[in-house]
Amino acid sequence: MFDPAAGYPTHRPRRLRGNPRLRDLVRENVLTRDDLIYPLFVYHGSNLSREIASMPGQRQWSLDRLGEVIDQVVELKIPGVMLFGIPERKDARGSAALRDDGLVQQAIGLIKKRAPELLTITDLCFCEYTDHGHCGPLVETAGRIDVDNDATLPLLVEQALSHCRAGADVIAPSGMMDGMVRALRAGLDGSGFAHIPIMSYASKFASAYYGPFRDAAESAPSFGDRRGYQMDPANGDEAVREAAIDLAEGADVIMVKPAMAYLDIARRLKDAFRVPLAAYNVSGEYAMIKAAAERGWIDERRIVLETLTGFKRAGIDMILTYHAPDVARWLQQG
């Protein structure tokens, strides 16, 4: 018999959780293949498909074998890729990044012939191309060696124009140089590429999560670190200011990098600006999940899908992730 004095709950949220179809209907955020961008490493040489030891399942691809992974991406209906290049020869200026016949430029052309519908995004930076591993040419001031911010800007424009001539759909400057978006927007607009969007790494932190990427891109600094231009992980207000500057200078999409430890930043940016927001699920985040899964400590599929759904919940629209092929398969399977 029901006794009102027994204090039964007035509100019962569990009513909406009991039936799996009802759970689907009330789900607030849904991860789909259309959210995914797959980062790819294009390597000098021929007949190369080399697994990256610290990133199980990820590979460096020579141009003559890049079509293998592009076909896979298209078959899985992943909408876009992000390209990084690792040239054979590096110098203090990163000259290999500027060549119209450079690795990334040739990769763009190959993709556009093989899969013209595939969104092709290019990372704009110099750390993979300089012999010192920093993100632009260096200058010594008051006994301190640092990246020459203003000398880097015209080189970024030159690199971007080369990518656009090759057929890039989106350019993504990642070096955290002051004024980079303004310089790029002016350079693109003045050269007939006003239609090319800029996806700015607006809030890129000097993170320990990048370790495996430096193996993949062979881009570890030969001295010092990048804390002089990438952001302090302790700062949140600064991330909002950086994003505001890039948007004012003409960015079309802003990005948070890394993702997992910075979802508070993603949410703040989405709430503040309501613009398209990307996040880079970086190499260290990927490697930790793969290592734990290989040891049987976690369910890889459930962990990855839960993690990326969390990105969506934080307001992220586009997810750059090395998990993209697996996620696309899992979502296809249901």
Side-chain angles (χ1 to χ4, degrees):
M1 180 181 294
F2 174 71
D3 180 4
Y8 286 100
T10 302
H11 302 287
R12 293 184 180 268
R14 287 182 56 188
R15 292 190 188 109
L16 300 180
R17 301 173 192 155
N19 186 299
R21 298 287 75 79
L22 188 54
R23 287 198 300 270
D24 291 343
L25 287 168
V26 299
R27 183 166 292 129
E28 297 174 25
N29 296 281
V30 178
L31 177 70
T32 75
R33 287 179 293 186
D34 290 336
D35 300 318
L36 304 175
I37 299 167
Y38 188 32
L40 294 174
F41 299 98
V42 186
Y43 199 80
H44 62 86
S46 61
N47 195 30
L48 291 176
S49 173
R50 305 196 309 180
E51 185 163 21
I52 302 161
S54 56
M55 298 173 65
Q58 302 307 305
R59 311 186 81 82
Q60 296 168 325
W61 298 91
S62 58
L63 283 165
D64 58 337
R65 296 192 61 180
L66 183 63
E68 297 173 28
V69 68
I70 295 303
D71 289 347
Q72 179 188 56
V73 167
V74 171
E75 182 180 356
L76 291 170
K77 294 182 171 59
I78 297 168
V81 294
M82 171 81 85
L83 297 179
F84 298 88
I86 305 100
E88 182 176 9
R89 294 181 180 85
K90 305 186 180 193
D91 60 28
R93 188 169 175 262
S95 302
L98 309 175
R99 297 165 56 106
D100 280 349
D101 62 351
L103 280 173
V104 167
Q105 291 85 342
Q106 291 189 64
I108 297 166
L110 183 152
I111 291 169
K112 288 304 167 187
K113 288 180 182 176
R114 197 174 190 109
E117 74 283 4
L118 184 63
L119 185 73
T120 304
I121 308 167
T122 61
D123 177 82
L124 285 186
C125 196
F126 291 96
C127 59
E128 303 108 296
Y129 300 93
T130 56
D131 53 14
H132 46 74
H134 282 281
C135 298
L138 302 177
V139 64
E140 184 174 351
T141 306
R144 176 172 173 262
I145 298 176
D146 197 1
V147 174
D148 188 332
N149 188 99
D150 294 0
T152 302
L153 298 182
L155 298 178
L156 283 171
V157 174
E158 189 176 346
Q159 185 183 23
L161 292 176
S162 178
H163 290 184
C164 291
R165 286 192 295 269
D169 298 304
V170 181
I171 60 166
S174 63
M176 291 296 287
M177 296 295 111
D178 293 340
M180 65 183 185
V181 175
R182 182 174 63 177
L184 287 165
R185 190 71 274 161
L188 293 173
D189 292 359
S191 301
F193 296 109
H195 62 288
I196 298 293
I198 296 175
M199 175 190 287
S200 177
Y201 289 66
S203 300
K204 181 178 179 180
F205 292 83
S207 172
Y209 284 102
Y210 301 149
F213 176 89
R214 290 167 183 169
D215 294 338
E218 299 181 4
S219 62
S222 61
F223 67 92
D225 54 42
R226 298 184 179 128
R227 287 182 287 185
Y229 39 102
Q230 294 176 1
M231 289 180 50
D232 185 340
N235 292 357
D237 292 347
E238 184 184 10
V240 178
R241 291 197 299 273
E242 284 275 9
I245 291 169
D246 283 5
L247 288 168
E249 291 183 353
D252 302 283
V253 181
I254 52 175
M255 187 194 300
V256 177
K257 181 181 180 181
M260 290 171 64
Y262 298 89
L263 294 184
D264 61 315
I265 303 298
R267 185 71 261 170
R268 288 182 65 178
L269 295 183
K270 194 64 172 182
D271 289 344
F273 302 114
R274 295 292 171 183
V275 298
L277 178 63
Y280 202 138
N281 181 208
V282 299
S283 59
E285 299 167 340
Y286 172 86
M288 289 191 301
I289 288 177
K290 296 297 282 189
E294 286 176 358
R295 288 160 176 77
W297 295 342
I298 60 171
D299 181 327
E300 181 178 358
R301 173 175 170 154
R302 289 190 62 190
I303 285 284
V304 171
L305 294 178
E306 181 177 339
T307 299
L308 300 195
T309 300
F311 295 176
K312 296 289 292 181
R313 192 178 64 247
I316 294 162
D317 304 295
M318 311 171 195
I319 303 172
L320 291 90
T321 179
Y322 303 102
H323 296 290
D326 287 333
V327 170
R329 291 188 195 94
W330 294 332
L331 293 175
Q332 193 172 35
Q333 292 165 4

